[in-house]
């Protein structure tokens, strides 16, 4: 599969149709979905002002992918430093990561595979630029009781999906906890309709 950078260049390629460039942006979001794919896509649609009719402003796709690229670069640089540090520590015999501190937080973040601050409700997520939020996540070692994405302790609100009840940061919508529940088909249909509208950039 072509890399993030390959698809980023495709977004910039004005010889491609706006739809093809949009498809390349989608692949980039799949590769680095800070809030999860749907919420990250919604954030970029809003922050870059991607119109419903792509032909009316195709450069919005460039604005979106460059915001994502800048955030991803911060992540990759920090991850590279973490990996190099752990290699040095292992070479000196320090194979165990301390139970608290930034390295333990890094282990948790790396297991999330790109969704650094999952937002189950795709319309509720931090509104600051992605690089600002990623920097905050990387620089805040532990988080609790503060939200690692917005830095606030604003309490939680509940939000339901088909199979889960999510507890979200009341300030920015990042998931703090979740619990499994019985399937609710009406909620499932409503959430899918919400996503269809987001994908068409209607909301």
């Amino acid at each position: 599969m072509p890399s993030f950078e390959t698809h980023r260049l495709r977004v910039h390629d004005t010889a491609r149709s706006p739809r093809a460039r949009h498809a390349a942006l989608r692949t980039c979001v799949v590769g680095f979905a800070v809030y999860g794919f749907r919420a990250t896509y919604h954030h970029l649609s809003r922050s870059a002002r991607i119109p419903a009719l792509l032909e009316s402003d195709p450069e919005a796709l460039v604005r979106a992918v460059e915001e994502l690229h800048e955030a991803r670069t911060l992540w990759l640089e920090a991850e590279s430093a973490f990996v190099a540090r752990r290699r040095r520590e292992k070479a000196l015999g320090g194979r165990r990561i301390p139970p608290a501190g930034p390295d333990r937080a890094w282990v948790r973040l790396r297991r999330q595979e790109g969704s650094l601050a999952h937002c189950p409700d795709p319309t509720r997520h931090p509104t600051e630029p992605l690089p600002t939020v990623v920097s905050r996540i990387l620089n805040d070692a532990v988080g609790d009781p503060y939200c690692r994405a917005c830095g606030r302790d604003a309490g939680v609100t509940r939000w339901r999906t088909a199979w889960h009840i999510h507890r979200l940061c009341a300030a920015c919508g990042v998931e703090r906890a979740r619990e499994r529940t019985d399937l609710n088909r009406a909620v499932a249909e409503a959430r899918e309709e919400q996503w269809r509208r987001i994908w068409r950039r209607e909301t």
Side-chain angles (χ1 to χ4, degrees), residues 75 79 82-83 105-114 116:
W75 164 258
E79 183 181 45
F82 166 77
V83 170
W106 261 104
V107 170
R108 290 197 301 269
L109 288 174
R110 294 181 81 205
R111 285 174 180 165
Q112 295 179 60
E113 299 179 352
L116 307 182

Side-chain angles (χ1 to χ4, degrees), residues 56-92:
S56 66
D57 185 11
E59 287 307 298
L61 302 172
V62 174
R63 294 193 295 269
V65 81
E66 285 308 299
E67 180 180 346
L68 188 66
H69 168 66
E70 185 179 346
R72 181 175 177 268
T73 298
L74 291 173
W75 164 258
L76 291 177
E77 289 174 351
E79 183 181 45
S80 178
F82 166 77
V83 170
R85 184 171 68 252
R86 286 298 299 147
R87 284 176 178 164
R88 290 193 299 270
E89 291 169 352
K90 288 179 180 179
L92 295 173

Side-chain angles (χ1 to χ4, degrees), residues 123-180:
T123 64
R124 294 187 60 199
H125 45 74
T127 57
E128 296 170 292
L130 287 178
T132 300
V133 177
V134 169
S135 292
R136 185 178 296 122
I137 292 170
L138 294 174
N139 292 325
D140 181 29
V142 181
D144 291 338
Y146 300 98
C147 173
R148 63 180 179 274
C150 70
R152 299 174 60 185
D153 180 14
V156 297
T157 58
R158 290 159 60 94
W159 195 75
R160 166 124 201 201
T161 54
W163 289 102
H164 292 94
I165 295 174
H166 303 265
R167 288 175 173 79
L168 313 180
C169 171
C172 71
V174 168
E175 182 180 76
R176 305 298 298 274
R178 76 170 77 173
E179 61 186 69
R180 183 87 173 184

Side-chain angles (χ1 to χ4, degrees), residues 90-103:
K90 288 179 180 179
L92 295 173
R95 303 195 66 83
R96 297 189 64 178
I97 296 177
D103 282 354

